[in-house]
Amino acid sequence: THVLAFLQNLCEGHYLEMQNLLRAQASSRGNSVDLVTAVAHFIIEMETSISPLNVHVAMQAFDTLTEFLQGPCTGNIRAVLRTQLCEAVNSIIRSTHATLENIHYPREYYEQVRELKRCVVTTLLALLEGSTASTPEVPSALIATLDLHCILDYSISLYNAWVASREKQKGAGLNMEDRVLQHLTNDTIQTGFKFYHILLMLSDFESGVAKGSSCFRRLNDVEIPAINYYKTNTGTVELARDYKHPKPPEILKVYFRIPRICRRITRQMKDDILWGVDRTNDITRLRDFFSRV
């Protein structure tokens, strides 16, 4: 894990030059080593043998791969897509990692597996970074290779686990507004949101692909409590990317979990900010806006 962590730290801060260097060394005189693909292959090879003894290594491998991709680094994203990483991801998400040859693992391991799947979804989000309507290749590849129904089912199971945990806490007479308790259960539902948002992002690029259509239709089935909760508490913003006049900007859609504090903001408070900000110039606009919020 030390080597993987070292490679991750080399790319911290979305250091594009280093990200590209780890994939190809132009000055190596024909001896270039693709460490990005090597880490992806490492994950693929160890996927079938994940256990309490090495699950921390798998988590570190995904964290390292994520750092290779974020920015985005399009060269590294293409390199990873040429591997069988998505098949390994499918297996990890499908598996409960509950037993191996009738050996029951300790309870802590199940939390580690959940953390591993959180690392997996972060890597998937990194693969989708920068995808727009004019660059649908990555989303199309993920739609074709990922088990979308399995991803949705897992996000629903995380919601159910979160609800069950909260009900147990309520039954014990605990204060559900306590920040410590909220923090203890937040990771579970936050991971559920990430898996749900992956599917929302892919659905924006869905063009009648038979493999994904039925799953994407389920995203709007508010009769499912988990879907209703995720949908109600998900917001979206559109960002202009790489804007160069007179070329029109690329629109990047980003989904996020709406913070709980936003539920306390009334319509009157929103209108006061919307219509009351001093828009005389850029400086007064920003100064007045931040003074109000």
Side-chain angles (χ1 to χ4, degrees), residues 15 51 88 165 171 173 198 206 248:
Y15 187 14
S51 73
S165 177
I198 279 284
E206 196 269 335

Side-chain angles (χ1 to χ4, degrees), residues 76-263:
N76 289 353
I77 289 173
R78 293 194 192 99
V80 170
L81 286 178
R82 287 193 291 268
T83 70
Q84 303 298 312
L85 182 71
C86 285
E87 283 75 4
V89 165
N90 288 336
S91 297
I92 290 172
I93 297 174
R94 289 191 196 111
S95 177
T96 60
H97 300 273
T99 59
L100 178 65
E101 296 179 357
N102 297 319
I103 298 175
H104 291 272
Y105 294 143
R107 181 179 299 177
E108 294 77 10
Y109 176 59
Y110 303 132
E111 292 300 321
Q112 291 177 311
V113 168
R114 186 175 294 176
E115 179 67 12
L116 171 61
K117 294 181 181 182
R118 184 198 62 77
C119 296
V120 168
V121 73
T122 305
T123 300
L124 292 178
L125 288 169
L127 282 170
L128 283 170
E129 272 192 26
S131 295
T132 62
S134 64
T135 56
E137 296 81 12
V138 174
S140 297
L142 294 183
I143 290 173
T145 54
L146 289 176
D147 187 338
L148 304 179
H149 285 286
C150 180
I151 290 176
L152 182 56
D153 290 340
Y154 183 63
S155 70
I156 292 172
S157 73
L158 288 174
Y159 168 81
N160 293 335
W162 176 69
V163 170
S165 177
R166 287 176 62 84
E167 289 299 325
K168 186 176 181 180
Q169 291 169 352
K170 285 181 182 178
L174 300 178
N175 178 16
M176 300 310 298
E177 297 302 317
D178 183 82
R179 291 189 176 184
V180 174
L181 285 178
Q182 291 178 5
H183 177 73
L184 290 174
T185 59
N186 185 62
D187 286 347
T188 300
I189 195 63
Q190 189 64 30
T191 303
F193 269 104
K194 287 185 177 182
F195 277 103
Y196 178 73
H197 292 162
I198 279 284
L199 295 173
L200 286 180
M201 294 171 70
L202 293 177
S203 69
D204 291 334
F205 295 89
E206 196 269 335
S207 56
V209 181
K211 184 177 184 294
S213 295
S214 61
C215 176
F216 295 140
R217 285 195 295 271
R218 290 176 63 198
L219 293 178
N220 296 310
D221 187 358
V222 293
E223 296 298 320
I224 303 173
I227 299 300
N228 184 49
Y229 181 82
Y230 288 139
K231 188 178 180 67
T232 303
N233 292 279
T234 290
T236 181
V237 293
E238 292 184 343
L239 307 177
R241 183 180 177 85
D242 298 331
Y243 177 66
K244 296 178 181 179
H245 188 75
K247 181 182 177 182
E250 292 276 13
I251 301 300
L252 188 65
K253 202 170 184 180
V254 179
Y255 294 94
F256 60 94
R257 180 186 181 185
I258 299 174
R260 292 185 62 193
I261 192 174
C262 292
R263 299 299 177 191

